[in-house]
């Protein structure tokens, strides 16, 4: 605009005429200004003025008007576009300005200047309610502080905005927003920001669920084994190296929980576990952890305890869990055995769990419903098991095991009808060891299938050589089978092999399984049992009545015999309940067509009572203790002196039991 007048002023009169001439233009009378009596220079001046006016005023004006219209149209269009983009955006958009107090001082928060529908929905209020209100005040406290820092840092030019997740607390829990907060240039408006946000609550919830699933026990919501290990490790790592504080671990195993599952079903069992979990939770202090590493095992972790504190907590747990648990109108009493262990700096989570477990087993062995604090003796017990296992392997290899036999007597005739094989260990230093002192180690160490197979082979070989008493059939052989043997692949083949090798007919073999082994019979095992039974082999439920299996189990399994546990026989004469169990089992056997053998008969009155109840066979010190297999000859089998030749009643003056 400064250059244009200069150019026009420079256009001299002469130059103008020349310019017109060159373009074949001339001034004519009918042309504008023609009527004016003007000399050519004046005319030229006027023309110049006209052109000047045209150039200086009209042209720029029209150009300006034109471009302004265009600009305005453009602005309107872009404003409309922007507004549309803003309000129709699928993302929540909020235009924000730094809050000021009444005195005009800027504050850390941000006020809503404008927002779109999505943002209003995310914030849970109509747009007009939100305008002018403090947006940041709606966020969680931590987020408010964080964003105030961001706003401050932006004002000082140290931040170009922020991106992350913020919580929006509400009456029904928090919603979570992914937020992008960008400052607008100062030219647009000082202290202004635009916030874009999307709702990520669903994603966040899904993530939380996944994390929880990975670290939580699904049934009770307590921590799982992974989280437990982690937290034990953490607790140990922050313990001061010296000082009285220790990390306490309580390993709680429910007593007889299997009974609940067996008698009431798994749904009720689950409900009981959930209730147990909630009772344990109620005992926690801030910082404690309750976990369910599996089955009916629970662990409580207290990161730092003083002397006596862990024991007190264990007492609380026992008191809490000994109150009956009611489910569906039924009351269940689940006791608990607890192993308590104190971890010091330098211990590991593995050690703590192992020691607490060992102490828990000691609590079970001492009679359940108690807490046992771990001490070296428990570890000593574990070490002893390791030594014993090595010795047992040697014993098996060096042929130190023996088979003893105890007769089973027909109560009606007094004749020996069978013999039970019972294993013994002829220890080079300690002499003859009964299985009670070492069989569980064999079973736990995995030595059992081999050991059991050895007993089976040896006993079959002995029994195959027996001949019957004059005219009678040779006695049957009973062999005990452990849980490990039953689980073993190809158990049926092992039995067939033992029979084939020895030549013992299958009808002369009875396999005894303890009732507890028969509690969880898989389809595969059931098939095995059916195959054995079909081959003519007898199957006996040993120690019957001590487990918790329902009576129906006896029908589900292809059994041929029940052996009544000796604890009922021992108490039968004094205790009506024991007598009731014996009576029931004898009747059950009769009605199901199963042979019934009463175990542990030590006195003649017991034998008489059994005969009166109609029990068919018995076994016990009254007739004979187990004797070495070699001593168990057919001669011995022929009714030993003093054994009652029973037929409904025993003759008076039964001799004392023969000793083995
Ligand atoms: P069990 O199968 O119940 O065997 C009967 C146990 O009662 C035997 O103890 C026997 O000696 C004892 N007994 C027999 N009559 C009387 C009596 O009148 N009074 C008393 N108080 N006890 C009597 P043992 O030989 O010490 O065997 C203990 C357990 O070890 C057996 O209980 C059985 O479960 C297991 N066992 C023994 N040998 C073997 C074996 O070869 N394989 C397997 N898997 N287990 C075996
Ligand atoms: Ca037995
Ligand atoms: Ca038994």
């Amino acid at each position: 605009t400064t250059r244009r007048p200069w150019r026009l002023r420079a256009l001299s009169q002469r130059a103008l005429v020349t310019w017109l001439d060159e373009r074949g233009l001339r001034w004519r009378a009918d042309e504008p200004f023609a009527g004016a009596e003007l000399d050519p220079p004046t005319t030229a001046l006027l023309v110049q003025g006209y052109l000047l006016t045209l150039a200086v005023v009209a042209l720029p004006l029209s150009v300006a008007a034109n471009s302004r219209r265009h600009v305005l149209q453009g602005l309107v269009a872009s404003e409309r576009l922007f507004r549309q983009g803003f309000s129709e955006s699928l993302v929540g958009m909020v235009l924000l300005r730094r809050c000021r107090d009444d005195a005009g001082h800027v504050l850390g928060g941000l006020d809503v200047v404008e927002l779109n529908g999505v943002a209003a929905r995310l914030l849970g209020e109509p747009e007009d309610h939100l305008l002018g209100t403090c947006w940041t005040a709606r966020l969680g406290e931590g987020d408010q502080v964080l964003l105030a820092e961001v706003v401050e840092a932006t004002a000082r030019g140290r931040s170009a905005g922020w991106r992350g997740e913020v919580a929006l607390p509400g009456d029904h829990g928090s919603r979570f927003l992914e937020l992008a907060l960008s400052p607008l240039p100062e030219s647009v408006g000082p202290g202004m920001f635009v916030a874009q946000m999307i709702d990520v609550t669903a994603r966040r919830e899904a993530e939380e669920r996944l994390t929880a699933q990975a670290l939580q026990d699904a049934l009770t919501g307590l921590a799982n084994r992974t989280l437990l290990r982690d937290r034990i490790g953490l607790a140990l790592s922050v313990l001061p190296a010296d000082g009285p504080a220790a990390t306490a671990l309580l390993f709680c195993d429910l007593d007889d929980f299997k009974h609940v599952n067996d008698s009431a079903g798994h749904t009720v069992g689950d409900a009981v576990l959930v209730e147990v979990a909630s009772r344990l939770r109620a005992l926690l202090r801030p910082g404690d952890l309750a976990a369910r590493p599996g089955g009916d095992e629970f662990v409580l972790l207290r990161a730092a305890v003083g002397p006596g504190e862990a024991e007190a907590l264990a007492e609380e747990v026992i008191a809490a869990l000994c109150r009956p648990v009611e489910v569906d109108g039924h009351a269940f009493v689940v006791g608990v055995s607890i192993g308590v262990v104190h971890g010091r700096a330098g211990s590991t989570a593995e050690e703590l769990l192992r020691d607490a477990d060992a102490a828990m087993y000691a609590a079970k062995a001492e009679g359940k419903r108690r807490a046992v604090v771990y001490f070296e003796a428990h570890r000593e017990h574990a070490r002893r098991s390791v030594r014993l296992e090595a010795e047992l392997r040697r014993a098996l290899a060096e042929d130190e095991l023996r088979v003893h036999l105890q007769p089973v007597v027909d109560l009606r005739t007094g004749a020996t009808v069978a013999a039970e094989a019972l294993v013994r260990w002829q220890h080079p230093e300690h002499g003859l060891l009964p299985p009670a002192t070492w069989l569980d180690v064999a079973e736990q160490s995995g030595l059992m299938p081999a050991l059991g197979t050895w007993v089976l082979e040896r006993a079959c070989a002995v029994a195959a050589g027996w001949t019957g008493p004059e005219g009678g059939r040779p006695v049957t052989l009973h062999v005990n089978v452990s849980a490990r043997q039953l689980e073993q692949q190809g158990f049926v083949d092992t039995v067939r092999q033992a029979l084939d090798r020895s030549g013992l007919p299958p009808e002369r073999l009875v396999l005894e399984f303890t009732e507890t082994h028969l509690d969880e019979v898989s389809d595969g095992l059931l098939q095995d049992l059916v195959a054995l039974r079909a081959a003519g082999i007898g199957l006996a439920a040993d120690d019957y009545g001590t487990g918790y299996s329902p009576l129906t189990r006896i029908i589900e399994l292809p059994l041929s015999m029940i052996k009544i546990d000796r604890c009922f026989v021992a108490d039968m004469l004094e205790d009506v309940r024991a007598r009731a169990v014996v009576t029931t089992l004898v009747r059950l056997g009769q009605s199901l067509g199963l042979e019934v053998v009463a175990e542990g008969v030590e006195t003649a009155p017991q034998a008489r009572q059994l005969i009166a109840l109609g029990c068919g066979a018995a076994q016990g010190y009254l007739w004979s203790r187990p004797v070495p297999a070699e001593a168990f000859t057919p001669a011995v089998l022929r009714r030993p002196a003093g054994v009652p030749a029973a037929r409904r009643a025993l003759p008076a003056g039964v001799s004392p039991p023969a000793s083995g």
Side-chain angles (χ1 to χ4, degrees), residues 403-404 406 420-424 434-436 438-439 443 448 451-452 455-456 479-483 485 512 514 517 542-543 563 565-566 599-603 606 619-622 624-626:
V403 169
H404 282 211
Q406 185 183 38
E420 177 175 4
L422 296 159
V423 70
R424 300 284 181 269
W438 49 270
L439 203 64
E443 182 79 344
M448 195 53 201
L451 196 149
V455 174
L456 183 69
V479 177
N480 293 287
V481 174
S482 79
Q485 282 177 277
E512 297 191 3
T514 62
H517 299 166
D542 201 358
D543 303 342
K563 295 188 79 176
D565 192 74
R566 67 166 181 267
E599 299 187 295
V601 180
E602 295 184 355
T603 67
Q606 287 169 349
Q619 186 181 348
Y621 295 167
L622 175 62
S624 170
R625 284 181 178 258

Side-chain angles (χ1 to χ4, degrees), residues 523-547:
D523 287 348
L525 177 55
L526 188 63
Q527 278 172 17
D528 282 1
L529 294 178
V530 168
L532 290 168
R533 191 74 197 94
I537 296 164
L539 302 179
D542 201 358
D543 303 342
Y544 204 76
T546 52

Side-chain angles (χ1 to χ4, degrees), residues 181-346:
L181 186 71
S182 328
L184 293 177
E186 284 287 306
S187 56
V188 175
M192 295 210 43
F193 289 81
V194 62
Q196 291 163 285
M197 49 205 196
I198 50 173
D199 189 341
V200 292
T201 311
R203 189 196 73 202
R204 179 109 171 203
E205 280 170 359
E207 279 169 6
E208 275 171 10
R209 263 199 309 279
L210 280 176
T211 317
Q213 274 164 15
L215 297 174
Q216 247 180 24
D217 163 43
L219 177 67
T220 61
L222 298 183
N224 67 8
R225 192 180 287 275
T226 312
L227 182 57
L228 173 66
R229 273 217 183 106
D230 237 51
R231 292 284 301 275
I232 299 173
L234 188 71
L236 290 171
S237 72
V238 299
L239 272 184
D242 45 299
T247 292
L249 200 71
L250 273 67
F251 200 106
C252 313
D253 190 288
L254 301 186
D255 297 328
D256 308 325
F257 177 69
K258 232 176 110 31
H259 176 39
V260 177
N261 261 345
D262 284 345
S263 61
H266 286 270
T267 314
V268 172
D270 283 356
V272 171
L273 290 176
V274 169
E275 172 61 20
V276 166
S278 104
R279 288 187 190 181
L280 290 179
R281 233 187 242 116
L283 301 176
L284 300 185
R285 284 200 209 142
D288 288 355
L289 181 83
R292 178 174 168 247
D296 59 349
E297 295 169 354
F298 294 84
V299 173
L300 294 188
L301 170 72
R302 185 161 285 178
V305 293
E309 209 181 307
E311 290 84 338
L313 179 60
E315 288 308 318
E316 286 177 48
V317 172
I318 291 173
L321 298 193
C322 284
R323 275 185 284 124
V325 176
E326 277 198 34
V327 178
D328 286 348
H330 297 279
F332 298 94
V333 182
V334 287
V336 60
S337 301
I338 307 176
V340 181
V341 65
H342 290 94
R344 307 273 165 193

Side-chain angles (χ1 to χ4, degrees), residues 355 358-359 362-363 366 372-383:
D355 294 348
E366 285 179 23
V372 166
V373 181
Y374 175 83
F375 65 105
E376 264 308 300
H378 299 121
R379 188 174 290 167
E380 183 47 40
H381 177 82
R383 287 204 197 100

